[in-house]
């Protein structure tokens, strides 16, 4: 049984690493006066069967059979001074999505090659376990790092959270639900910010630990983003591409999702009682939209971004055998937002979403499932009153299983189903004509493959 327990713990650790879960502490603890340089990685590949409302669209047919694959590299270093001060740099590189080239590798300079690599995360940190850590760079904020109750450690280790996945699985973009119940998404962690991570403080009554995280981002840009063009105002041109732009006189999709002066705060309490290892967390994300100053258009008059979240999860070991582990969790998010954490139009409804899920680990075997449901304004804004419903309803199901061969290799199988409904939504075109509204859009996929990590 001891071997079975060790295998279960190893399975959970391997899947946590596979999922790309955000880490609040240094990746590798090091001894004083030493430095450790590393180049870790992740590779996943598999076969998929994908079906959706848009597999047949305006006379074109999408093959349901496809492959998936993704590569990530994690270069960086961790170090410690002789006095015990830790510091380091962590980077996440990914292979880019490119146009179909029938196997040809076109020029990478044009951004169309099959081997392009780009920066997803890149940050430096400094601190100690006793006094906390400071991060600065393109990294996860409080809302992501302390997200609790969203169970992802089964199947491909991400399910709906990874905004690479739906494209990776070749699901048509219009068929992809755009939920915001997951906080570990690129719209939050690919921005430059400073993050303060407190030490875990012991609580004497139940023996638990309290911790908190605070982060601040001046604007919704990553490293060097927004500096690609000259910001000077000349010949009456607008400095709309400047990194720190706060308002614009022309509306666009980009302006509708850009934000500035965003901060988030999360507090978490962890405790072990009666065989249950539990956590509960709550917090707030708040930001200002890029202000539209042009001629009145309700689509570009936006509320501030304000989202709350509360989550809880617990793990119990030895439920049926001495070596198994069951984890259950739930999370709720609500506030002034659209999908992907975009500010909502003034006068549109607030959003609400919840998720419940869990996994069961027995030796090298893992099974898990989750269900989420959300309501938001979707495509609605006040100028569309009477033509589009005020609410976009979305939900998704994920179920998966793993066989963890070793800490560096896991086989997975996964099923996902997603549904969207908003009467009159012009962003849901009819498959036969490409115009009008289908009102209901659905997708489902079955995938199986292998995940390697090192």
């Amino acid at each position: 049984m001891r071997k079975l327990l060790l295998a279960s713990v190893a399975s959970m650790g391997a899947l946590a690493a596979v999922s790309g879960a955000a880490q609040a502490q240094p990746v590798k603890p090091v001894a004083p006066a030493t430095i450790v340089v590393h180049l870790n990685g992740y590779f996943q590949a598999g076969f998929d069967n994908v079906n959706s409302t848009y597999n047949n669209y305006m006379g074109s047919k999408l093959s349901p059979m496809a492959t998936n694959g993704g590569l990530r590299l994690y270069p960086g270093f961790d170090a410690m001074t002789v006095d015990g001060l830790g510091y380091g740099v962590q980077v996440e590189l990914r292979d880019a999505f490119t146009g179909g080239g029938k196997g040809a590798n076109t020029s990478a300079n044009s951004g169309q090659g099959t081997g392009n690599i780009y920066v997803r995360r890149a940050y430096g940190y400094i601190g100690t376990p006793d006094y906390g850590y400071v991060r600065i760079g393109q990294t996860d904020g409080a809302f992501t790092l302390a997200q609790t109750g969203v169970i992802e450690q089964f199947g491909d280790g991400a399910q709906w959270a990874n905004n690479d996945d739906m494209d990776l699985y070749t699901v048509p973009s219009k068929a992809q639900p755009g939920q915001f119940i997951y906080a570990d998404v690129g719209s939050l962690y690919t921005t430059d910010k400073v993050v303060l991570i407190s030490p875990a403080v012991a609580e004497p009554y139940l023996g638990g630990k309290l911790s908190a995280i605070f982060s601040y981002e001046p604007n919704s840009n990553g490293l060097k983003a927004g500096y690609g063009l000259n910001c000077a105002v000349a010949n009456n041109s607008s400095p709309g591409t400047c990194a720190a732009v706060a308002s614009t006189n022309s509306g666009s999709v980009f302006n509708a999702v850009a934000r500035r002066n965003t901060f988030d705060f999360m507090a978490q309490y962890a405790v072990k009682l009666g065989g249950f290892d539990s956590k509960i967390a709550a917090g707030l994300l708040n930001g200002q939209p890029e202000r539209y100053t042009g001629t009145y258009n309700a689509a570009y008059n936006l509320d501030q971004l304000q989202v709350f979240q509360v989550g809880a999860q617990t793990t119990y070991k030895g439920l049926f055998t001495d070596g198994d582990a069951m984890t259950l969790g739930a999370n709720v998010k609500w506030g002034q937002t659209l999908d992907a954490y975009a500010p909502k139009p003034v006068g549109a409804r607030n959003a609400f979403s919840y998720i419940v899920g869990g996994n069961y680990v027995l030796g090298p075997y893992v099974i898990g499932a989750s269900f989420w449901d959300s309501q938001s304004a979707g495509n609605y804004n006040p100028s569309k009153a009477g033509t589009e419903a005020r609410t976009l309803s979305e939900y998704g199901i994920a179920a998966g299983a793993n066989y963890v061969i070793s800490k560096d290799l896991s086989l997975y199988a996964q099923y996902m189903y997603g549904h969207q409904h908003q009467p009159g939504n012009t962003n849901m075109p009819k498959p036969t004509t490409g115009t009008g509204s289908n009102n209901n859009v659905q997708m489902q996929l079955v995938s199986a493959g292998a995940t390697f990590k090192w």
Side-chain angles (χ1 to χ4, degrees):
M1 281 300 176
R2 181 174 180 273
K3 291 183 178 180
L4 188 60
L5 176 60
L6 291 175
S8 297
V9 173
S11 298
M12 295 175 70
L15 285 175
V18 164
S19 70
Q23 299 295 318
Q25 285 78 39
V27 174
K28 294 186 177 182
V30 296
T34 60
I35 181 172
V36 175
V37 179
H38 50 83
L39 179 59
N40 300 113
Y42 159 101
F43 174 74
Q44 180 176 291
F47 285 88
D48 314 318
N49 183 279
V50 180
N51 287 279
S52 77
T53 301
Y54 299 114
N55 272 40
N56 290 278
Y57 184 73
M58 295 185 68
S60 296
K61 185 177 180 180
L62 175 68
S63 171
M65 297 304 299
T67 59
N68 74 69
L71 171 69
R72 303 178 190 178
L73 298 175
Y74 302 99
F77 77 90
D78 298 287
M80 184 175 291
T81 68
V82 292
D83 297 323
L85 180 66
Y87 61 97
V89 169
Q90 306 300 335
V91 178
E92 179 184 342
L93 305 176
R94 296 191 187 183
D95 55 333
F97 291 102
T98 59
K102 299 179 176 62
N105 188 2
T106 55
S107 172
N109 291 331
S110 66
Q112 298 176 353
T114 58
N116 295 344
I117 296 292
Y118 69 100
V119 175
R120 191 70 169 176
R121 290 177 172 96
Y123 68 92
Y125 73 86
I126 184 171
T128 69
D130 293 333
Y131 294 97
Y133 291 88
V134 177
R135 286 184 178 187
I136 187 167
Q138 188 171 309
T139 183
D140 307 270
F143 223 61
T144 304
L145 289 172
Q147 176 176 254
T148 303
V150 180
I151 309 302
E152 302 173 42
Q153 287 75 36
F154 61 87
D156 73 351
Q159 295 84 49
W160 303 95
N162 186 345
N163 40 4
D164 277 0
D165 277 1
M166 290 300 95
D167 293 322
L168 183 149
Y169 290 127
T170 63
V171 178
S173 59
K174 296 293 186 182
Q176 301 172 18
Q179 49 69 39
F180 67 96
I181 189 60
Y182 292 91
D184 42 330
V185 292
S187 55
L188 294 184
Y189 66 71
T190 57
T191 56
D192 257 351
K193 57 179 71 71
V194 59
V195 185
L196 307 179
I197 302 171
S198 80
V201 179
E203 174 272 311
Y205 297 101
L206 297 177
K209 292 185 177 181
L210 287 164
S211 58
I213 304 176
F214 174 85
S215 57
Y216 170 73
E217 65 178 50
N219 50 63
S220 52
N221 291 289
L223 294 170
K224 295 186 177 180
Y227 295 93
L229 297 174
N230 195 329
C231 287
V233 178
N235 299 323
N236 296 319
S237 63
S238 168
T241 57
C242 295
V245 67
S247 65
T248 179
N249 62 4
S250 62
S252 71
V253 174
F254 171 79
N255 296 334
V257 299
R259 62 181 186 264
R260 59 191 177 88
N261 292 331
T262 302
F263 69 86
D264 52 338
F265 171 80
M266 289 289 293
Q268 186 177 79
Y269 177 69
V271 65
K272 294 182 179 180
L273 289 173
F276 290 90
D277 188 352
S278 306
K279 294 187 293 184
I280 185 170
L284 163 71
L285 181 145
N286 190 91
Q288 298 296 324
E290 189 170 291
R291 294 299 180 185
Y292 174 61
T293 60
T295 304
Y296 179 78
N297 185 328
Y300 300 108
N301 286 268
L302 306 172
D303 276 323
Q304 71 180 43
L305 177 65
Q306 188 175 82
V307 188
F308 300 87
Q309 78 160 309
V310 176
Q313 69 183 64
T314 188
T315 298
Y316 186 84
K317 296 179 180 179
L319 182 64
F320 299 113
T321 72
D322 292 342
D324 67 359
M326 170 75 80
T327 299
L328 299 173
N331 184 283
V332 179
K333 295 183 178 72
W334 71 95
Q336 297 178 170
T337 185
L338 298 176
D339 287 330
Y341 294 90
K344 75 174 185 67
V346 173
R349 63 155 292 166
N350 285 357
F352 175 85
S353 188
Y354 70 90
I355 187 171
V356 293
N359 65 27
Y360 178 72
V361 181
L362 179 64
Y365 302 100
V366 181
I367 58 172
S370 65
F371 170 82
W372 61 263
D373 182 89
S374 72
Q375 293 79 44
S376 69
N379 202 47
Y380 173 86
N381 66 71
S383 68
K384 297 180 179 180
T387 61
E388 290 189 0
R390 287 177 56 86
T391 299
L392 168 66
S393 297
E394 301 172 285
Y395 67 87
I397 298 168
N402 302 83
Y403 176 62
V404 180
I405 298 174
S406 74
K407 65 183 181 66
D408 301 318
L409 174 60
S410 171
L411 304 181
Y412 79 88
Q414 184 161 282
Y415 171 79
M416 297 174 66
Y417 175 84
H419 186 270
Q420 307 169 68
H421 174 72
Q422 184 172 27
N425 186 330
T426 55
N427 199 41
M428 298 178 179
K430 294 179 181 178
T432 54
T433 64
T435 61
S437 175
N438 195 56
N439 293 343
N440 288 284
V441 173
Q442 56 188 341
M443 57 137 289
Q444 64 178 336
L445 69 86
V446 177
S447 179
T451 306
F452 304 78
K453 57 171 287 293
W454 61 93

